[in-house]
Amino acid sequence: MKRKVAQILEEAESIACFFHKNPDGDAVGSALAVKNFFGDKVKVYSYHGVPEIFRFLPKADEVIKYEDFSEVEPAQIFLVLDCGDERRIPGFDASRASTIVVVDHHETNDGFGDVSIVEPDRSSTCEIVYEILKETGRKISSSVAECLFAGIYTDTGGFRYSDTTATTFQVAKELVEAGADPWKITLNIYDSNPVRRIKLLSLCLGTLQLHLEGKVASLYVTLDMYEKTGALPEDTEDFVNYARGIKGVEVAVFMRELHEGGVKVSLRSKGKVNVARIARRLGGGGHANAAGCELDMGIEKALESILDILKEEI
Ligand SMILES: [Mn+2]
């Protein structure tokens, strides 16, 4: 199947890449790897642009930010990366391409492409994309390697999460040999925080609450906190891990206000509770240990709904 996808991409005259809204390193990294590998026939579209911490990646400045899907040019192939559900690509219209190719590792992905590679046991979409690109028999450049390494590193929390396997390290090794520089990449991602993000974090940590005898921890960010700090929604990346990192906590809940009466929820588990299942019950999806959903309610009500389900699951 990977050989087939490699061939489809190699032979295509035009490819448009898409990934989920609120993109993370795996989404941006996998798409930019494809762009750096196949060149100008590839366009990358992102509803939310590229978060500041990933703008150092090669060709990140060529990502097209769209507001309305009608701005997307028709292409032979729509390549959907790191996205388990087409509803996470605002306005997505499959009829503007002749073939939809999906490459993903979300267990809640039902394989909505004409051709789909969905491998839920893989650490990241970048890990799968690496194997597809290798199937072409062409050399992986240092630019491509850098994008893929950034995606793998961030999606595994720095090679910490449960889906980090020997293959993950093997791929990472080959990427470093191909020219990816872990020091440069992690300096850019983890040691270049905008001050506004740390100010927002300090307010967010003030909301810490423990529930269900300390097995659940919650944190949240309100619209008011953005205003006070000048921070952006993308600055909340990884905040959930401060809750997850507490001893005895099995499930971490992070909520950020999208608008009055609407929240984005991130759920993280240490392995005993499948949070993908919880997210799915609330209309979202994801992985067993990392999932999310959006709820049309305020923070307090949202937390109550999540805790109600967690009471049954813990
Ligand atoms: Mn991913």
Side-chain angles (χ1 to χ4, degrees):
M1 190 54 113
K2 283 182 189 132
R3 179 159 300 172
K4 186 179 163 193
V5 168
Q7 199 183 348
I8 290 173
L9 299 178
E10 194 82 297
E11 285 169 4
E13 269 160 30
S14 56
I15 302 169
C17 290
F18 301 91
F19 41 71
H20 55 81
K21 57 185 176 176
N22 307 306
D24 57 12
D26 193 28
V28 173
S30 56
L32 286 177
V34 170
K35 180 158 179 64
N36 280 281
F37 191 84
F38 291 104
D40 288 341
K41 71 177 185 182
V42 180
K43 286 189 172 150
V44 179
Y45 291 93
S46 172
Y47 183 74
H48 283 129
V50 175
E52 197 173 313
I53 53 171
F54 299 118
R55 283 189 208 146
F56 72 99
L57 290 171
K59 295 199 191 287
D61 56 337
E62 291 176 35
V63 172
I64 302 160
K65 188 174 174 192
Y66 72 90
E67 261 168 48
D68 192 285
F69 205 82
S70 62
E71 297 160 38
V72 172
E73 283 174 35
Q76 198 180 343
I77 310 284
F78 275 4
L79 174 59
V80 181
L81 296 158
D82 197 41
C83 182
D85 181 341
E86 54 195 311
R87 286 173 307 175
R88 291 185 74 204
I89 306 168
F92 188 73
D93 177 4
S95 72
R96 299 173 75 90
S98 20
T99 310
I100 309 292
V101 179
V102 170
V103 179
D104 187 29
H105 69 133
H106 290 87
E107 69 170 48
T108 46
N109 192 321
D110 52 16
F112 55 92
D114 300 310
V115 184
S116 299
I117 298 181
V118 180
E119 298 184 0
D121 55 339
R122 304 304 291 270
S123 73
S124 52
T125 301
C126 281
E127 200 180 298
I128 308 169
V129 166
Y130 175 68
E131 289 175 354
I132 294 169
L133 299 185
K134 252 179 48 167
E135 284 289 349
T136 64
R138 291 199 280 126
K139 190 174 170 281
I140 306 286
S141 70
S142 60
S143 302
V144 173
E146 184 168 291
C147 297
L148 292 175
F149 188 93
I152 293 172
Y153 193 92
T154 51
D155 240 31
T156 57
F159 302 108
R160 286 187 296 137
Y161 299 154
S162 61
D163 46 15
T164 305
T165 62
T167 309
T168 314
F169 284 102
Q170 180 63 36
V171 171
K173 170 186 178 280
E174 291 178 25
L175 291 173
V176 173
E177 284 167 351
D181 179 351
W183 170 251
K184 178 195 158 194
I185 294 167
T186 55
L187 265 184
N188 272 289
I189 297 174
Y190 293 103
D191 299 320
S192 305
N193 285 299
V195 178
R196 57 169 203 252
R197 170 172 145 91
I198 305 303
K199 286 185 175 162
L200 182 67
L201 175 63
S202 81
L203 295 181
C204 173
L205 290 176
T207 71
L208 177 69
Q209 277 181 285
L210 292 169
H211 318 270
L212 306 182
E213 293 160 350
K215 291 195 180 98
V216 176
S218 67
L219 289 169
Y220 62 81
V221 162
T222 62
L223 296 175
D224 188 48
M225 293 179 191
Y226 292 128
E227 194 142 329
K228 280 198 179 108
T229 57
L232 308 168
E234 67 179 54
D235 294 319
T236 62
E237 183 76 29
D238 282 335
F239 279 12
V240 66
N241 286 323
Y242 289 92
R244 180 182 167 274
I246 297 167
K247 189 172 180 178
V249 166
E250 283 300 330
V251 175
V253 181
F254 172 72
M255 294 163 292
R256 64 178 170 84
E257 211 171 8
L258 295 167
H259 49 82
E260 200 86 35
V263 288
K264 165 89 174 69
V265 180
S266 300
L267 301 168
R268 295 292 182 274
S269 168
K270 281 187 189 151
K272 285 191 187 149
V273 180
N274 181 331
V275 288
R277 209 167 57 210
I278 294 167
R280 210 195 302 233
R281 279 177 67 175
L282 294 164
H287 310 286
N289 289 336
C293 60
E294 287 183 17
L295 298 174
D296 290 325
M297 49 185 92
I299 284 176
E300 246 170 75
K301 188 96 187 301
L303 182 59
E304 229 173 83
S305 313
I306 297 160
L307 289 174
D308 278 343
I309 297 179
L310 278 170
K311 261 180 225 157
E312 300 167 21
E313 299 273 344
I314 281 190

